[in-house]
Amino acid sequence: MKTIKIGIAGLGRLGLIHADNIYKMKHVELTAISNLDESVNKQVQEKYQVPYAYTTYEEMIENDELDAVCIVTPSGFHTSHIQLALEHDLHVFCEKPIGLEVEEIKQTCKVIDKSDKVFHLGFMRRYDQDYLYVKEMIDRGDIGDISIIRSYGIDPIAGLESFVNFAKKSPSGGIYLDMSVHDIDVIRWFTNSEVTKVWATGNNKVFPELNELNEVEMSTATMQLENNTTAFLVAGRTASHGYHVETEVIGTKGMVRIAATPDKNKVTVFNDQGVVRPTSQSFPERFREAYVDELKDFVRCIRGQTKPEVTAVDGLRSTEVAIACQRSLEKNKLVEIHYEG
Amino acid sequence: MKTIKIGIAGLGRLGLIHADNIYKMKHVELTAISNLDESVNKQVQEKYQVPYAYTTYEEMIENDELDAVCIVTPSGFHTSHIQLALEHDLHVFCEKPIGLEVEEIKQTCKVIDKSDKVFHLGFMRRYDQDYLYVKEMIDRGDIGDISIIRSYGIDPIAGLESFVNFAKKSPSGGIYLDMSVHDIDVIRWFTNSEVTKVWATGNNKVFPELNELNEVEMSTATMQLENNTTAFLVAGRTASHGYHVETEVIGTKGMVRIAATPDKNKVTVFNDQGVVRPTSQSFPERFREAYVDELKDFVRCIRGQTKPEVTAVDGLRSTEVAIACQRSLEKNKLVEIHYEG
Amino acid sequence: MKTIKIGIAGLGRLGLIHADNIYKMKHVELTAISNLDESVNKQVQEKYQVPYAYTTYEEMIENDELDAVCIVTPSGFHTSHIQLALEHDLHVFCEKPIGLEVEEIKQTCKVIDKSDKVFHLGFMRRYDQDYLYVKEMIDRGDIGDISIIRSYGIDPIAGLESFVNFAKKSPSGGIYLDMSVHDIDVIRWFTNSEVTKVWATGNNKVFPELNELNEVEMSTATMQLENNTTAFLVAGRTASHGYHVETEVIGTKGMVRIAATPDKNKVTVFNDQGVVRPTSQSFPERFREAYVDELKDFVRCIRGQTKPEVTAVDGLRSTEVAIACQRSLEKNKLVEIHYEG
Amino acid sequence: MKTIKIGIAGLGRLGLIHADNIYKMKHVELTAISNLDESVNKQVQEKYQVPYAYTTYEEMIENDELDAVCIVTPSGFHTSHIQLALEHDLHVFCEKPIGLEVEEIKQTCKVIDKSDKVFHLGFMRRYDQDYLYVKEMIDRGDIGDISIIRSYGIDPIAGLESFVNFAKKSPSGGIYLDMSVHDIDVIRWFTNSEVTKVWATGNNKVFPELNELNEVEMSTATMQLENNTTAFLVAGRTASHGYHVETEVIGTKGMVRIAATPDKNKVTVFNDQGVVRPTSQSFPERFREAYVDELKDFVRCIRGQTKPEVTAVDGLRSTEVAIACQRSLEKNKLVEIHYEG
């Protein structure tokens, strides 16, 4: 079996996870890395015996050995990095979001559309066994027509300080682009319908200083879909109990909840606090296997064994909805979304 | 200890529950009943040895032996029945809502205000041990400032047919007045803040015929409060698993859920379905003790031992919010609420 | 309806609970109390307007107004108090155990048998809604033939000190007679079969000083029944999370657990400990309603509306098994139990 | 990094799982298979591009390319296959149990002891994240001294027929050797203490025909340990809800349960059954990752990066205890266990 050679761009927290997952795959080589910080590069190169290391993305994609790139650079670079890779005839795995600006994304979609290379977008929840189990229930009709979806993504408060530092340096695009795109994608995936109206709210009751950064620590978005489903999202950064990702689907035949409690494992502790279930503390912990499985799927796509589940248009739509949420939050008004053909 | 003599008006489903609870109280007598259906009256009179039975409310309140009335008549009669009772110097326990029209309620509030008799409104969740436990947590500061409240009230689908028949005969006032007032009251109680904006949505995916009755089987309402808390309500009539009443409070220090699963009891069944928790099937089952406790509190108020927890203004505010939700649903727009003095 | 007049003997922790429950029943009067401590008597008499108070049981049962007695005196007095009451033509409600010595109990059974008065034994779990729900499942055949039963009764460690003080003064009869009789009764009730062999173990890892008192803080008993069911009990006094009473039934068609977690209420807290369910802290809290319901049943029996669910023989059998467990623990051997006709 | 070449012996259900896991490991090659059924061999060889296939174990271990073997043959062959492999200077991973006869195992232990090759025994629970989490809690002292351990292993009833067919052909060694060795190993691992006395019971209420095969469908074993801990095991074959593996540890400072409900995933379904958690249906599903992790550990041991967690003596002890349970079951007596040096 031919070895697929992958170069990774960006070695932040998530980039290191992807690097590790690529390295561990059989018949796959982590052939190159590109990242600004040379000391990180050196460590990664040694740990995984990576043949090539670069400080810029542009250098890396000139490497002729590469079959594919995995883009984990800051969101603002995604569209240009995708286009560059496709121009160099490389398969592309790109972390969400596909971009921060609608026009750029639309243009990138066209480039992707014309290319015969694989384009794979990092909506890892689509590879999570729990989400897949519910998607199958929905598709089988087990829960009937969907009336309401509720989806939460709340980061642990332990990570808030590092977020604030991060947000001071580079704009996150707002909490909806940064976090809710995952929930928005799940809503579209589960319902096969598009969001048409949103009303978003938020506040900074723990960290009022976030007001100055134009960020919110806790936010909601209520959405109406074409098929008259209502969706309610919570995105936040101040969960005291861990990393709370939860999705609920209320259908005409039943209701399901994914991760109603963000259990870390199957252990229950009975101590002086009561009956305690330990919780997941981070997205790498919660979605560890989903991150592995999405890259495995990317490699299967490269080998021509399957097609990507998520398309560039999925990335575009999620971004459009997230941007509408952000606008609604800022104006405290209902915002309608109009999609072009 | 002086025996308190109570007359009950209305012997529908909930009226019968109140009658039973009044009958079982020590030092309290179920002295009179008023209800249109004489055959029901006869049964109740025998079962509880009730001295007096009437077919009209007006007759009953002329009975000089009575100390108090318990009003469980259809919602449209509440305001006039309250006023009549107070004019006859009777203490009043009235089921929610206090009325269907804002102006009528306001006028009734004035009458209540002038009277020195006890007025007690049937928001039984305020007497439920689970809700009280969380109210105490909130007041102690255990969960910090409240950012988001979510509250569900979904009736079992088994009761839908009887609701449709009921709705054909007399208007329910819409799902928000009929069901959500409980959730609205909880939100106001937990936050000490008022709702200022609402957006409501709903659909009839199981029973499209409800469209003609101007009813919705499944609805949501998103609300913004003065203190910048966001509340999200679901009210529905099609739960396949039972009677789903659930409330969640997300605060700056933690999160609590009341009845995240509507467990019927402490039994877990492991069978060919998986691990199954049986569920409560109706409000009388779920709130059995709360219904007892609210009447006990009413009697304590009559005896001068305590003051009513809920005021007429609480009833007015919940109705105003419910009406705003209904208007938002009908227009599919954000609706602002302006309260007078 | 004739008022039933009840005298209560013993105003310890559980006696006070029974007194309160008797007082609150309609058409029932708490007519007399007998208790050594006159200051307690005075308080109870005032609180419940009790007509008569005595410092000895013997005086109380001479009161001709009484219809019945509720015996909550120390276990060692039960058999003589039962017999005295029946001789005075009084209905008897007696707390478990029926006695500490098999011969005394057998003799008491004969007296009970000859009397036409109601004899009601305080196995309150038979009136608990959760246990009743499972009993019905078993009787309906929902879980098939029973293979294994597991039943835990573990007191909170917070109560250990007061237990030690209590045990120093008067023998508890050992943990099996003191605590496991409830579990033994449940096993007999659920299976309709008798225990034939037991092996019991125990230790004092927290409070080694209990060794001197011939008590164990944590103990087990494995039992074989006539119908080849195996039962496993845990009785203990050192639960850090509260009052842990749990029963499991493994049948050929399924498995059920009653109170797998000893939830205090329906509240779930998400805080820096993880996902926490508060727990019941004491038997009065856990079995509050069962204590009410067993006395209501006693009154119904007195009125001739029903028959006692639990017989004196049930009390005898539970005691015989508990004594066998205690002997097995002391000898660390399998002990066989032989019942007489 | 040198590629480790492994041959697998036995391609039954579990053998196929190990083959798949070996194949997927990086820097490891599934170099050979030995298995009686040539049609299975052909499929496996193709699926994983296995260089060599044999119908006998003896042939396979002559292959000079091999570094190690993975023994998944019937339990009765384990001791001789282990010895043969070590004689051929191969590292050995062997599925539990290490053998069926104590004397054979002891002799094998001596051979293992003398060899400098890695010997790794397949107690996969020691690699399960939930069991590891609790082991760490115990070692940190979070739950104090252990008083009681309870451990269940109950297979789904769906597999009973295939078990009966299997048992008719070759003796399983009884339910304790076949299933409870895992629980026995966990008890020894968690407590660092040895079992000294056992009493075992069992029955065949669903499949009385198992009596003829000298098998039991549902069994218990109560055990006393040197350090005065009591352990209670259930092993069975008739769970209607799935594959129920659960372990509880009651310590002086708290209590923990691993997999109190055998949840398949994080999904909760609310339907006409109530609130339902789907369950794991088989050991490959429940312990999927543990099976991967134990082989990864085996490879790390071969590379000299770590030492095996489980020793041959652990295998011997578990077998001795399981055999004592079986004898106790057959005689319905307490059995004492005496270990040599």
Side-chain angles (χ1 to χ4, degrees):
Chain A
M1 191 174 284
K2 180 182 176 298
T3 294
I4 306 287
K5 296 188 174 189
I6 302 181
I8 191 164
L11 291 173
R13 190 178 182 192
L14 187 50
L16 291 171
I17 291 167
H18 283 311
D20 192 66
N21 289 336
I22 291 168
Y23 170 73
K24 284 176 179 159
M25 256 186 287
K26 200 143 186 174
H27 308 307
V28 171
E29 186 185 77
L30 179 56
T31 303
I33 54 178
S34 76
N35 186 53
L36 255 181
D37 186 334
E38 292 194 68
S39 67
V40 169
N41 292 1
K42 209 177 157 192
Q43 285 169 35
V44 171
Q45 204 173 5
E46 274 176 25
K47 184 171 181 191
Y48 301 127
Q49 300 118 43
V50 183
Y52 307 98
Y54 306 93
T55 50
T56 71
Y57 179 72
E58 287 72 14
E59 285 172 279
M60 183 174 78
I61 56 170
E62 297 297 334
N63 185 325
D64 282 348
E65 293 186 27
L66 292 181
D67 296 300
V69 288
C70 174
I71 299 171
V72 208
T73 50
S75 304
F77 294 105
H78 287 185
T79 50
S80 72
H81 285 175
I82 292 167
Q83 295 191 36
L84 264 176
L86 294 175
E87 284 165 18
H88 285 72
D89 260 352
L90 293 166
H91 300 289
V92 174
F93 176 92
C94 182
E95 253 312 308
K96 66 90 202 164
I98 197 168
L100 297 176
E101 307 283 335
V102 170
E103 282 316 307
E104 276 181 4
I105 301 172
K106 284 184 177 169
Q107 195 205 328
T108 307
C109 284
K110 281 180 200 156
V111 178
I112 290 165
D113 218 41
K114 276 184 209 151
S115 165
D116 62 345
K117 293 288 144 183
V118 171
F119 176 77
H120 210 285
L121 192 60
F123 281 135
M124 81 291 186
R125 287 197 205 168
R126 296 208 186 196
Y127 297 91
D128 178 72
Q129 290 305 314
D130 305 324
Y131 280 87
L132 285 166
Y133 185 86
V134 168
K135 174 64 173 165
E136 279 166 29
M137 289 185 72
I138 292 169
D139 289 351
R140 257 198 324 264
D142 288 6
I143 52 174
D145 277 353
I146 298 177
S147 276
I148 295 172
I149 293 191
R150 172 173 64 87
S151 201
Y152 286 13
I154 314 179
D155 272 342
I157 193 161
L160 188 54
E161 216 175 292
S162 89
F163 167 74
V164 172
N165 290 333
F166 173 85
K168 277 177 184 162
K169 281 183 262 168
S170 73
S172 75
I175 199 163
Y176 300 105
L177 258 177
D178 192 35
M179 297 189 65
S180 301
V181 283
H182 286 297
D183 301 287
I184 295 166
D185 183 58
V186 165
I187 289 166
R188 296 181 61 256
W189 183 39
F190 279 2
T191 61
N192 293 316
S193 185
E194 299 294 345
V195 175
T196 55
K197 280 186 176 183
V198 301
W199 180 35
T201 68
N203 62 57
N204 289 309
K205 297 192 175 187
V206 179
F207 278 70
E209 52 268 50
L210 284 171
N211 290 327
E212 293 159 36
L213 297 170
N214 199 25
E215 292 283 354
V216 284
E217 71 189 28
M218 191 57 76
S219 69
T220 79
T222 309
M223 302 177 174
Q224 204 167 36
L225 277 75
E226 272 171 9
N227 69 356
N228 205 18
T229 296
T230 301
F232 179 70
L233 307 188
V234 169
R237 307 194 184 278
T238 57
S240 47
H241 60 288
Y243 176 59
H244 192 108
V245 167
E246 175 185 0
T247 300
E248 170 185 274
V249 183
I250 304 180
T252 51
K253 287 191 190 163
M255 174 166 141
V256 286
R257 286 184 182 169
I258 304 169
T261 53
D263 303 333
K264 182 190 193 73
N265 50 31
K266 290 185 163 66
V267 177
T268 308
V269 182
F270 300 69
N271 63 18
D272 54 10
Q273 301 293 322
V275 178
V276 184
R277 294 295 306 266
T279 49
S280 282
Q281 291 302 317
S282 63
F283 65 84
E285 182 180 7
R286 169 63 181 86
F287 290 108
R288 193 168 61 88
E289 290 188 76
Y291 282 118
V292 172
D293 289 346
E294 67 175 0
L295 282 175
K296 285 187 179 165
D297 190 69
F298 177 50
V299 169
R300 276 194 300 270
C301 290
I302 294 173
R303 293 196 195 282
Q305 296 163 345
T306 183
K307 298 267 177 204
E309 164 73 33
V310 200
T311 68
V313 171
D314 290 319
L316 170 63
R317 289 289 177 262
S318 299
T319 304
E320 287 176 293
V321 175
I323 287 171
C325 290
Q326 186 68 24
R327 210 164 60 232
S328 171
L329 176 74
E330 287 164 10
K331 297 180 187 263
N332 198 4
K333 283 195 176 165
L334 261 187
V335 168
E336 294 195 27
I337 309 177
H338 302 281
Y339 303 99
E340 292 168 30
Chain B
M1 192 175 280
K2 180 182 176 297
T3 294
I4 305 287
K5 297 191 171 186
I6 302 181
I8 191 164
L11 292 173
R13 190 177 182 193
L14 186 50
L16 290 171
I17 291 167
H18 284 312
D20 193 66
N21 289 337
I22 291 168
Y23 170 73
K24 283 176 179 160
M25 255 186 288
K26 199 144 186 173
H27 308 308
V28 171
E29 187 186 77
L30 179 55
T31 304
I33 55 178
S34 76
N35 185 53
L36 256 181
D37 186 333
E38 292 194 68
S39 67
V40 169
N41 292 0
K42 206 176 160 191
Q43 285 169 35
V44 171
Q45 202 173 7
E46 274 176 25
K47 184 171 183 193
Y48 301 126
Q49 301 117 45
V50 183
Y52 307 98
Y54 307 93
T55 49
T56 70
Y57 179 71
E58 287 72 13
E59 284 172 280
M60 183 174 77
I61 57 168
E62 297 296 336
N63 185 324
D64 283 348
E65 292 185 29
L66 292 180
D67 296 300
V69 288
C70 174
I71 299 172
V72 209
T73 50
S75 303
F77 294 105
H78 287 185
T79 50
S80 72
H81 285 175
I82 292 166
Q83 295 191 36
L84 263 177
L86 293 176
E87 285 164 17
H88 285 72
D89 261 352
L90 294 166
H91 300 289
V92 175
F93 176 92
C94 182
E95 253 314 307
K96 66 88 202 165
I98 196 168
L100 297 176
E101 306 284 336
V102 170
E103 283 314 307
E104 275 181 5
I105 301 172
K106 283 184 179 170
Q107 195 205 329
T108 307
C109 284
K110 281 179 200 156
V111 177
I112 291 165
D113 218 41
K114 276 183 210 152
S115 166
D116 62 345
K117 293 288 144 184
V118 171
F119 176 77
H120 210 287
L121 192 60
F123 281 135
M124 81 292 187
R125 288 197 204 167
R126 295 206 186 198
Y127 296 91
D128 178 72
Q129 291 304 313
D130 305 325
Y131 280 87
L132 284 166
Y133 185 86
V134 168
K135 173 64 172 167
E136 279 166 29
M137 288 184 72
I138 293 169
D139 289 351
R140 257 198 324 263
D142 288 7
I143 53 174
D145 277 354
I146 299 176
S147 276
I148 295 172
I149 293 191
R150 173 174 63 86
S151 201
Y152 286 13
I154 314 178
D155 271 342
I157 195 163
L160 189 53
E161 216 175 290
S162 89
F163 167 75
V164 172
N165 290 335
F166 172 85
K168 277 177 185 162
K169 280 183 263 168
S170 73
S172 74
I175 199 164
Y176 301 104
L177 258 177
D178 193 34
M179 297 189 65
S180 302
V181 282
H182 285 298
D183 301 286
I184 295 166
D185 183 57
V186 165
I187 288 166
R188 295 181 61 257
W189 183 41
F190 279 2
T191 61
N192 292 316
S193 185
E194 300 294 345
V195 175
T196 54
K197 281 187 175 183
V198 301
W199 181 33
T201 68
N203 63 58
N204 289 310
K205 296 190 175 188
V206 179
F207 278 70
E209 53 268 51
L210 284 172
N211 290 327
E212 293 159 37
L213 297 170
N214 200 26
E215 292 283 353
V216 283
E217 71 189 27
M218 191 57 76
S219 69
T220 79
T222 310
M223 301 177 176
Q224 204 167 36
L225 277 75
E226 272 171 8
N227 69 357
N228 205 18
T229 296
T230 302
F232 180 70
L233 306 188
V234 169
R237 308 195 184 277
T238 57
S240 47
H241 59 289
Y243 176 58
H244 192 106
V245 166
E246 175 185 1
T247 300
E248 170 184 273
V249 183
I250 304 181
T252 51
K253 288 191 189 162
M255 173 167 141
V256 286
R257 286 185 181 168
I258 304 169
T261 53
D263 303 332
K264 183 191 192 72
N265 50 31
K266 291 185 163 65
V267 177
T268 309
V269 182
F270 300 69
N271 63 19
D272 54 10
Q273 301 293 323
V275 178
V276 183
R277 293 295 306 266
T279 49
S280 282
Q281 291 303 317
S282 63
F283 65 83
E285 182 180 7
R286 170 63 181 86
F287 289 109
R288 191 168 62 88
E289 290 188 77
Y291 281 118
V292 172
D293 289 346
E294 67 175 1
L295 282 175
K296 284 187 179 166
D297 190 68
F298 176 50
V299 168
R300 275 194 300 271
C301 290
I302 293 174
R303 293 195 194 283
Q305 296 162 345
T306 184
K307 298 267 175 203
E309 163 73 33
V310 200
T311 68
V313 172
D314 290 320
L316 170 62
R317 290 288 178 262
S318 300
T319 303
E320 287 177 294
V321 175
I323 288 171
C325 289
Q326 186 67 25
R327 209 163 61 229
S328 173
L329 176 74
E330 286 164 10
K331 297 180 188 266
N332 198 4
K333 283 195 176 166
L334 261 186
V335 168
E336 294 196 27
I337 310 177
H338 301 282
Y339 303 100
E340 293 168 30
Chain C
M1 191 175 284
K2 181 182 175 296
T3 294
I4 305 287
K5 297 187 173 190
I6 302 181
I8 190 164
L11 291 173
R13 189 177 181 192
L14 187 49
L16 290 172
I17 290 167
H18 283 311
D20 193 65
N21 289 336
I22 291 168
Y23 170 73
K24 284 177 179 158
M25 255 186 289
K26 198 142 186 174
H27 308 306
V28 171
E29 186 185 78
L30 179 55
T31 304
I33 55 178
S34 76
N35 186 52
L36 254 181
D37 186 333
E38 294 194 67
S39 68
V40 170
N41 292 1
K42 207 177 159 191
Q43 285 169 34
V44 172
Q45 203 172 4
E46 274 176 25
K47 184 171 180 191
Y48 301 126
Q49 300 119 43
V50 183
Y52 307 98
Y54 307 92
T55 50
T56 70
Y57 178 74
E58 287 72 14
E59 285 172 279
M60 183 175 78
I61 56 169
E62 297 296 335
N63 185 325
D64 283 348
E65 293 185 26
L66 292 181
D67 296 298
V69 288
C70 173
I71 301 172
V72 208
T73 50
S75 304
F77 295 105
H78 286 184
T79 50
S80 72
H81 285 175
I82 292 166
Q83 295 191 36
L84 262 176
L86 294 175
E87 285 165 17
H88 283 73
D89 260 352
L90 294 166
H91 300 290
V92 175
F93 176 92
C94 182
E95 253 313 306
K96 67 90 203 162
I98 196 168
L100 297 176
E101 306 284 335
V102 170
E103 282 316 308
E104 275 181 4
I105 300 172
K106 284 184 178 169
Q107 195 205 328
T108 307
C109 285
K110 281 180 200 155
V111 178
I112 290 166
D113 219 40
K114 276 184 210 152
S115 166
D116 61 346
K117 293 288 146 183
V118 171
F119 177 77
H120 209 286
L121 192 59
F123 282 135
M124 82 290 187
R125 288 197 204 167
R126 296 207 186 197
Y127 297 91
D128 178 72
Q129 291 305 314
D130 305 325
Y131 280 87
L132 284 166
Y133 185 87
V134 168
K135 174 64 172 166
E136 279 166 30
M137 287 184 72
I138 293 169
D139 289 351
R140 259 200 321 266
D142 288 5
I143 52 175
D145 276 354
I146 298 176
S147 275
I148 295 172
I149 293 192
R150 171 174 65 86
S151 201
Y152 285 13
I154 314 177
D155 271 342
I157 194 163
L160 189 53
E161 216 175 291
S162 90
F163 167 75
V164 172
N165 289 334
F166 172 85
K168 277 177 183 162
K169 281 182 262 169
S170 73
S172 74
I175 199 163
Y176 301 105
L177 258 176
D178 192 34
M179 297 189 64
S180 302
V181 282
H182 286 297
D183 301 287
I184 295 165
D185 182 59
V186 164
I187 289 166
R188 296 181 60 257
W189 183 39
F190 279 1
T191 61
N192 293 316
S193 184
E194 299 293 346
V195 175
T196 55
K197 280 186 175 183
V198 301
W199 182 32
T201 68
N203 63 57
N204 289 309
K205 296 191 175 188
V206 179
F207 278 70
E209 52 267 51
L210 284 171
N211 290 327
E212 292 159 37
L213 297 170
N214 200 26
E215 292 284 352
V216 284
E217 70 190 28
M218 191 57 75
S219 69
T220 79
T222 310
M223 303 178 173
Q224 204 168 37
L225 278 73
E226 273 171 8
N227 69 356
N228 205 18
T229 296
T230 302
F232 178 71
L233 306 187
V234 169
R237 307 192 185 278
T238 58
S240 47
H241 60 288
Y243 176 59
H244 193 108
V245 166
E246 175 185 0
T247 299
E248 170 185 274
V249 183
I250 303 180
T252 51
K253 288 191 190 162
M255 174 166 140
V256 284
R257 285 184 181 169
I258 304 170
T261 52
D263 303 332
K264 183 190 193 72
N265 50 30
K266 290 184 163 65
V267 177
T268 309
V269 183
F270 299 69
N271 62 19
D272 54 10
Q273 301 293 321
V275 178
V276 183
R277 294 294 307 266
T279 49
S280 282
Q281 291 303 316
S282 63
F283 64 85
E285 182 180 6
R286 169 63 181 86
F287 289 108
R288 193 168 61 88
E289 290 188 76
Y291 281 118
V292 172
D293 289 346
E294 69 175 359
L295 282 175
K296 285 187 179 165
D297 191 67
F298 177 50
V299 170
R300 275 194 300 271
C301 290
I302 293 174
R303 294 196 194 281
Q305 296 163 344
T306 184
K307 296 269 177 203
E309 163 74 32
V310 201
T311 68
V313 172
D314 290 319
L316 171 63
R317 290 289 177 261
S318 300
T319 303
E320 286 176 295
V321 175
I323 288 170
C325 290
Q326 186 67 25
R327 209 164 60 232
S328 173
L329 176 74
E330 286 163 10
K331 297 181 187 264
N332 197 3
K333 282 194 176 166
L334 260 187
V335 167
E336 294 196 25
I337 310 176
H338 302 281
Y339 303 99
E340 291 168 31
Chain D
M1 191 175 282
K2 181 183 175 295
T3 293
I4 306 288
K5 297 189 172 189
I6 302 181
I8 191 164
L11 291 173
R13 189 177 182 194
L14 188 49
L16 291 172
I17 290 167
H18 284 312
D20 192 66
N21 289 337
I22 292 168
Y23 170 73
K24 284 178 179 159
M25 254 186 287
K26 197 142 188 175
H27 308 307
V28 170
E29 187 185 77
L30 179 56
T31 303
I33 55 177
S34 76
N35 186 54
L36 255 180
D37 186 333
E38 293 195 69
S39 68
V40 169
N41 292 0
K42 208 176 160 193
Q43 285 169 36
V44 172
Q45 205 173 3
E46 274 176 25
K47 184 171 181 192
Y48 301 126
Q49 300 119 44
V50 183
Y52 307 99
Y54 306 93
T55 50
T56 71
Y57 179 72
E58 288 71 14
E59 284 172 279
M60 183 174 77
I61 57 169
E62 297 295 338
N63 185 326
D64 283 348
E65 294 185 27
L66 291 180
D67 297 299
V69 288
C70 174
I71 300 171
V72 208
T73 50
S75 304
F77 293 106
H78 287 184
T79 51
S80 72
H81 285 174
I82 292 166
Q83 295 191 37
L84 263 176
L86 293 175
E87 284 166 16
H88 284 73
D89 261 352
L90 293 166
H91 301 289
V92 174
F93 176 92
C94 182
E95 252 315 306
K96 68 88 204 165
I98 196 168
L100 297 175
E101 306 284 336
V102 169
E103 283 315 309
E104 275 182 4
I105 300 172
K106 284 183 178 170
Q107 195 205 328
T108 307
C109 285
K110 282 180 198 154
V111 178
I112 290 166
D113 218 40
K114 276 183 209 149
S115 165
D116 61 347
K117 293 288 145 185
V118 171
F119 176 76
H120 210 287
L121 192 59
F123 282 135
M124 82 291 187
R125 288 197 205 169
R126 296 207 188 198
Y127 297 91
D128 178 72
Q129 291 305 314
D130 305 325
Y131 280 87
L132 284 166
Y133 184 87
V134 168
K135 174 64 172 166
E136 279 166 30
M137 287 184 73
I138 293 169
D139 289 352
R140 258 199 322 264
D142 288 6
I143 53 174
D145 277 355
I146 298 176
S147 276
I148 296 171
I149 294 192
R150 172 173 65 86
S151 201
Y152 286 12
I154 315 177
D155 271 342
I157 194 163
L160 189 54
E161 216 175 291
S162 90
F163 167 75
V164 172
N165 290 334
F166 172 85
K168 277 178 183 160
K169 281 182 261 169
S170 74
S172 74
I175 199 163
Y176 301 105
L177 258 177
D178 193 33
M179 297 189 64
S180 302
V181 283
H182 286 298
D183 301 288
I184 295 166
D185 182 59
V186 165
I187 289 166
R188 296 181 61 258
W189 183 41
F190 279 1
T191 62
N192 292 316
S193 185
E194 300 294 346
V195 175
T196 55
K197 281 187 173 180
V198 301
W199 182 33
T201 68
N203 64 57
N204 289 310
K205 296 191 174 187
V206 179
F207 278 70
E209 52 268 49
L210 284 171
N211 289 328
E212 292 159 37
L213 297 170
N214 199 27
E215 292 284 352
V216 284
E217 69 189 29
M218 190 57 76
S219 69
T220 79
T222 310
M223 302 178 174
Q224 203 167 37
L225 277 75
E226 272 170 7
N227 69 356
N228 205 18
T229 296
T230 302
F232 179 71
L233 306 188
V234 169
R237 307 193 185 278
T238 57
S240 46
H241 59 289
Y243 176 59
H244 192 107
V245 166
E246 175 185 0
T247 299
E248 170 184 273
V249 183
I250 303 181
T252 51
K253 288 191 190 162
M255 174 166 142
V256 285
R257 287 186 180 167
I258 305 169
T261 52
D263 304 331
K264 182 191 193 72
N265 50 30
K266 290 185 164 65
V267 177
T268 309
V269 182
F270 300 69
N271 62 18
D272 55 10
Q273 301 292 322
V275 178
V276 184
R277 294 294 306 264
T279 50
S280 282
Q281 292 302 318
S282 63
F283 65 83
E285 182 180 7
R286 170 62 180 87
F287 289 109
R288 192 168 61 88
E289 290 187 76
Y291 281 118
V292 172
D293 289 346
E294 68 175 1
L295 282 175
K296 285 187 179 165
D297 191 67
F298 177 50
V299 169
R300 274 193 302 271
C301 290
I302 293 174
R303 293 195 194 283
Q305 295 163 344
T306 185
K307 297 266 176 204
E309 163 74 32
V310 201
T311 68
V313 172
D314 291 319
L316 170 63
R317 289 288 178 263
S318 299
T319 303
E320 287 177 293
V321 175
I323 288 171
C325 290
Q326 186 67 25
R327 209 163 61 232
S328 173
L329 176 75
E330 286 164 11
K331 296 179 187 266
N332 197 4
K333 283 194 176 166
L334 260 186
V335 168
E336 295 196 24
I337 310 175
H338 302 281
Y339 304 100
E340 291 169 31

